Amino acid sequence: MNAEKSLWSQYCQLPKDKKDEWRECSLFVARHRLARAFNGITVSSSSKISDKLVRGYSAGMRLFLAYNALEMAATLKIKNKTKKEKDDFYQAMAIDGKKNHQDLLNAFRAFLGEGEESDKKGKNISEKMKQSLEKSADYFADFLNGKNDNLAVLARCIRHMFAHGSFTPNGNNILKADNIALFEELTEILLKKSRVMFDDYLKEILNKEK
């Protein structure tokens, strides 16, 4: 952590004309810190809202925040690149889950997939998501079919589920304890990935000034 702070401090000390992406960098730092510090949603004790719902929405909100930080890190990474934006963006955020996170991949594919053993409610969610993801729908379909193992696609999918109300207890079984634990695991992966990406970006800028 000290090394991370040092990189950011060094960048902050650069002359103003050397910090072309100051706004984006500041946004990343704010988003990453908020996601790191977020400690759950609190509700009134008289609200009669279940602990299950609070934990589910807390996990969903933290993943939402972590994905926003990853998006900003990817935006910095693809700055001034020449490839098509969509391909660049998802490549920049690529997190290969097959090697170390196969259980996580399997769990979500089983829930959202299209096979006979997949959850019927999950299928309905995935169809709605293909519509809402628009240009990203092909990436999502490839993820479901095992053509890519990019955890960033999965994270985007869950962010949409959270934003569109799929975390309500009567909506589907997404709030099972096992699933929430997977959300929490994925959130930590996103935070680590975005931090590494941001540090690499800072190193590149700082090396140019040496």
Side-chain angles (χ1 to χ4, degrees):
M1 183 63 72
N2 290 336
E4 294 170 356
K5 289 182 178 179
S6 178
L7 286 170
W8 176 236
S9 296
Q10 290 176 56
Y11 177 81
C12 291
Q13 291 168 7
L14 290 175
K16 188 175 182 180
D17 62 346
K18 302 294 183 181
K19 295 184 289 191
D20 294 338
E21 314 304 334
W22 170 255
R23 178 180 177 276
E24 288 87 347
C25 288
S26 297
L27 281 173
F28 169 80
V29 171
R31 290 180 181 186
H32 194 272
R33 285 177 177 172
L34 179 59
R36 273 282 178 214
F38 184 75
N39 198 30
I41 297 169
T42 59
V43 297
S44 169
S45 59
S46 61
S47 65
K48 296 183 180 179
I49 295 175
S50 70
D51 291 342
K52 181 181 180 181
L53 182 59
V54 171
R55 187 184 174 202
Y57 266 89
S58 293
M61 175 60 79
R62 190 161 184 258
L63 187 144
F64 184 97
L65 296 171
Y67 185 84
N68 287 348
L70 182 66
E71 275 192 329
M72 185 53 65
T75 298
L76 288 166
K77 185 173 181 179
I78 66 172
K79 210 73 174 180
N80 302 320
K81 301 292 184 181
T82 58
K83 295 180 181 179
K84 291 182 180 180
E85 181 180 350
K86 181 176 72 172
D87 292 335
D88 270 350
F89 200 66
Y90 276 95
Q91 184 59 37
M93 291 196 296
I95 307 173
D96 187 357
K98 190 170 185 178
K99 184 176 181 180
N100 297 316
H101 307 286
Q102 190 64 56
D103 288 346
L104 187 149
L105 291 173
N106 292 343
F108 279 102
R109 280 182 179 139
F111 181 72
L112 295 168
E114 300 174 350
E116 293 183 359
E117 297 180 0
S118 299
D119 189 291
K120 290 182 179 180
K121 293 177 181 177
K123 290 182 189 178
N124 292 335
I125 293 171
S126 64
E127 285 303 315
K128 292 178 181 178
M129 241 175 289
K130 286 175 185 177
Q131 298 172 17
S132 66
L133 288 172
E134 298 177 346
K135 292 181 180 180
S136 307
D138 290 344
Y139 286 93
F140 179 56
D142 285 348
F143 175 83
L144 289 180
N145 295 325
K147 293 180 180 178
N148 78 62
D149 299 304
N150 187 355
L151 291 179
V153 176
L154 173 58
R156 183 177 178 85
C157 156
I158 297 171
R159 183 180 72 165
H160 274 67
M161 292 170 67
F162 173 76
H164 291 285
S166 295
F167 279 57
T168 54
N170 294 328
N172 50 66
N173 64 358
I174 202 69
L175 288 181
K176 292 192 300 184
D178 288 349
N179 285 343
I180 292 174
L182 291 173
F183 299 155
E184 293 168 345
E185 177 186 351
L186 181 57
T187 296
E188 291 302 319
I189 294 169
L190 299 181
L191 289 171
K192 289 177 182 177
K193 173 69 174 182
S194 62
R195 183 77 243 186
V196 169
M197 289 170 61
F198 184 63
D199 285 349
D200 287 345
Y201 173 80
L202 293 181
K203 289 174 184 176
E204 182 179 345
I205 299 300
L206 293 169
N207 286 337
K208 289 179 181 179
E209 301 306 315
K210 288 182 178 179

